[in-house]
Amino acid sequence: MIEEIKTVARQRLAAEGANLSLRAVARDMGMVSSALYRYFASRDDLLTVLILDGYNALGDAVEAADAAVTDRTRLRARWLSATRAVRDWALANQAEYALLYGSPVPGYAAPQDTIAAAARTPIVLAAILTDGYAAGIVTAAGFQRPASLPAAVRTDLSRTRDQIAPGLPEELLHAGLTCWLQLFGVLSFELFGQLNNVIDARAEFFGQQMELMADLMGI
Amino acid sequence: MIEEIKTVARQRLAAEGANLSLRAVARDMGMVSSALYRYFASRDDLLTVLILDGYNALGDAVEAADAAVTDRTRLRARWLSATRAVRDWALANQAEYALLYGSPVPGYAAPQDTIAAAARTPIVLAAILTDGYAAGIVTAAGFQRPASLPAAVRTDLSRTRDQIAPGLPEELLHAGLTCWLQLFGVLSFELFGQLNNVIDARAEFFGQQMELMADLMGI
DNA sequence: CTCTCGCAAGAGCACTGCTCTCTAATGTGT
DNA sequence: ACACATTAGAGAGCAGTGCTCTTGCGAGAG
């Protein structure tokens, strides 16, 4: 039942856009709106569950795309496959992507399990670097000395490193972080219309940008 | 009168977040909601005007920050000043930033004058490169050969070049475009909460990222 | 001094999230 | 098999929303 509600809600989300209406979902199910409150405490509650599912669906897709590269030492292929999976999922689920990475709803605070699910995608990307570093394929040689990063940023980086990519040098995590930001920067601009009249060859541009990021990481 | 409505609307937007209520604006002004319809055809209409104002306010801030660097050959200083102005404006007007660069409202199409105002910021950034190229300070030597870019992307780049940065080599525009995306990628992640528990030293991180982008553009 | 016209008010429609009460059905325990 | 308890859904209703249409007021123009 809960699953059916979520499915219908996702359909309405895809059809109508961001402002999901509980009553519309109930109508689609042949129910009355108050009946939904037996399964979800509020509209925000339903949205939170959809967000959680979204992060996990994206995480699944990205993990599968990374795992599809059987030769685990082909770091660039893994990076391109994983980032391509992010874009494919985002294009196929635009409203959900907007829910995850668009402007947050006003008084909404992400619960703890949400941030764990959200971390899955960056963890996959970081693992590519971690694997490469462990195998000696990628070194931190070509990167900015840690000393040149502001101390406060280094603190943040080492904390984040311990959480998602243990053992990775800070310089490499920093490079990966930069590429992660570029990935979602490009994607958000594409999906939110900021690339209209600027770049029409979206897929080619995205691929080229991800190649560039691979160069930057030295993979 | 129109100006007063917009001011109150901006306040409500800053206070309440994205979902602006016409009735609330009217209430704040001691009017009845239907009276607002004499000045704005619809809520979307008011939002469009606010968006237009937002792009122009941001454009003003960025242009001023760029112009504040008197020695026009100090390209890096201009870049850092301009991008810092973007961040400062975004932090000071978070709800408006979300309106401009967050998830778009469902059936909303940006009018032509909006995209002209939106172009002001990238134009400033592109002008930094154009000036540097014209003065021979920055060359396209260190960049990816145009031939290595997909043909469709090159077409987009040359069209965009003609619109906002005449005379700039495509490789340089491409580098600038990448940095532009990174700029708003970092900013959106910061403002939309995606950097929570990842980077706490926001200002330092942003500054360091923009330094990195300056390196990437060779300025 | 009348007349017009800009401006705001008010009522009302269809919609929203959400709460509360009530009924019908579906088990469950003895 | 019968009484009981639990649960799923229906319905009414409240306060809020965007928006439309009609009404009335009041100031400026002729």
Side-chain angles (χ1 to χ4, degrees):
Chain A
M1 190 71 208
I2 288 181
E3 215 48 52
E4 192 185 337
I5 296 176
K6 289 199 287 186
T7 304
V8 175
R10 262 187 287 266
Q11 289 168 359
R12 273 230 90 85
L13 212 56
E16 304 284 318
N19 11 8
L20 177 67
S21 153
L22 269 188
R23 290 184 116 112
V25 173
R27 228 178 292 127
D28 285 3
M29 302 183 61
M31 290 173 67
V32 88
S33 75
S34 59
L36 290 189
Y37 284 84
R38 208 162 284 277
Y39 305 95
F40 295 95
S42 69
R43 197 190 83 122
D44 272 18
D45 206 68
L46 173 57
L47 281 179
T48 299
V49 173
L50 289 179
I51 288 174
L52 189 67
D53 283 11
Y55 278 126
N56 279 319
L58 176 60
D60 287 344
V62 174
E63 284 171 9
D66 174 53
V69 180
T70 47
D71 182 352
R72 306 305 286 159
T73 65
R74 296 181 56 216
L75 304 183
R76 176 177 285 254
R78 290 173 61 187
W79 166 260
L80 293 177
S81 174
T83 55
R84 194 169 193 290
V86 176
R87 180 167 183 270
D88 288 344
W89 186 89
L91 285 179
N93 306 277
Q94 305 208 14
E96 276 180 274
Y97 179 88
L99 228 54
L100 304 187
Y101 293 100
S103 4
V105 278
Y108 178 78
Q112 199 65 22
D113 45 353
T114 298
I115 77 172
R120 287 179 58 186
T121 297
I123 282 175
V124 172
L125 304 182
I128 297 175
L129 283 180
T130 308
D131 291 357
Y133 180 72
I137 306 170
V138 55
T139 66
F143 293 93
Q144 212 167 13
R145 301 254 72 75
S148 85
L149 293 174
V153 172
R154 290 183 57 198
T155 307
D156 288 337
L157 284 178
S158 73
R159 178 173 35 78
T160 302
R161 184 253 321 276
D162 295 343
Q163 284 172 1
I164 72 166
L168 196 66
E170 284 168 20
E171 307 91 290
L172 277 176
L173 178 66
H174 181 251
L177 181 56
T178 303
C179 296
W180 177 58
L181 290 167
Q182 182 75 8
L183 161 61
F184 284 96
V186 174
L187 223 41
S188 291
F189 261 35
E190 173 178 353
L191 288 170
F192 296 164
Q194 229 72 32
L195 247 42
N196 293 351
N197 307 311
V198 178
I199 297 290
D200 293 332
R202 302 291 166 80
E204 291 89 340
F205 180 73
F206 179 83
Q208 190 280 327
Q209 284 283 308
M210 291 305 106
E211 295 269 4
L212 191 76
M213 291 301 113
D215 292 343
L216 197 145
M217 289 187 289
I219 61 175
Chain B
M1 190 72 207
I2 289 182
E3 215 49 52
E4 191 184 337
I5 296 176
K6 290 199 288 187
T7 304
V8 174
R10 262 187 287 266
Q11 290 168 359
R12 273 229 91 83
L13 211 57
E16 305 283 317
N19 13 8
L20 178 67
S21 153
L22 269 188
R23 290 183 118 112
V25 172
R27 229 178 292 126
D28 285 4
M29 301 182 62
M31 289 173 67
V32 87
S33 75
S34 58
L36 290 189
Y37 284 83
R38 206 160 285 276
Y39 305 96
F40 295 95
S42 68
R43 197 190 82 122
D44 272 17
D45 207 68
L46 173 57
L47 281 179
T48 300
V49 173
L50 290 179
I51 287 174
L52 189 67
D53 283 11
Y55 278 126
N56 279 320
L58 177 59
D60 287 345
V62 174
E63 284 171 8
D66 174 53
V69 179
T70 47
D71 182 352
R72 306 304 286 159
T73 64
R74 296 181 56 216
L75 304 183
R76 175 177 286 254
R78 288 173 63 187
W79 165 259
L80 293 178
S81 175
T83 55
R84 194 169 193 289
V86 176
R87 180 167 183 268
D88 288 344
W89 187 89
L91 285 179
N93 307 278
Q94 306 208 14
E96 276 180 275
Y97 178 87
L99 229 55
L100 305 186
Y101 293 100
S103 5
V105 278
Y108 178 77
Q112 198 66 21
D113 44 353
T114 297
I115 78 172
R120 288 179 58 186
T121 297
I123 282 175
V124 171
L125 304 181
I128 296 174
L129 283 180
T130 308
D131 291 357
Y133 180 72
I137 306 171
V138 55
T139 66
F143 293 93
Q144 211 167 11
R145 303 253 69 78
S148 85
L149 293 173
V153 173
R154 289 183 57 199
T155 308
D156 289 337
L157 284 177
S158 73
R159 179 174 34 78
T160 303
R161 184 253 322 275
D162 294 343
Q163 284 172 1
I164 73 167
L168 196 65
E170 285 168 19
E171 308 92 288
L172 276 176
L173 178 66
H174 181 251
L177 181 57
T178 303
C179 296
W180 178 58
L181 290 167
Q182 183 76 8
L183 161 61
F184 284 96
V186 174
L187 222 42
S188 291
F189 260 36
E190 172 178 354
L191 289 170
F192 296 164
Q194 229 74 30
L195 247 41
N196 292 350
N197 306 311
V198 179
I199 297 289
D200 294 332
R202 304 289 165 78
E204 291 89 339
F205 180 73
F206 179 83
Q208 191 279 326
Q209 284 283 309
M210 290 306 104
E211 294 270 5
L212 191 75
M213 291 302 112
D215 292 343
L216 198 145
M217 290 186 288
I219 62 174

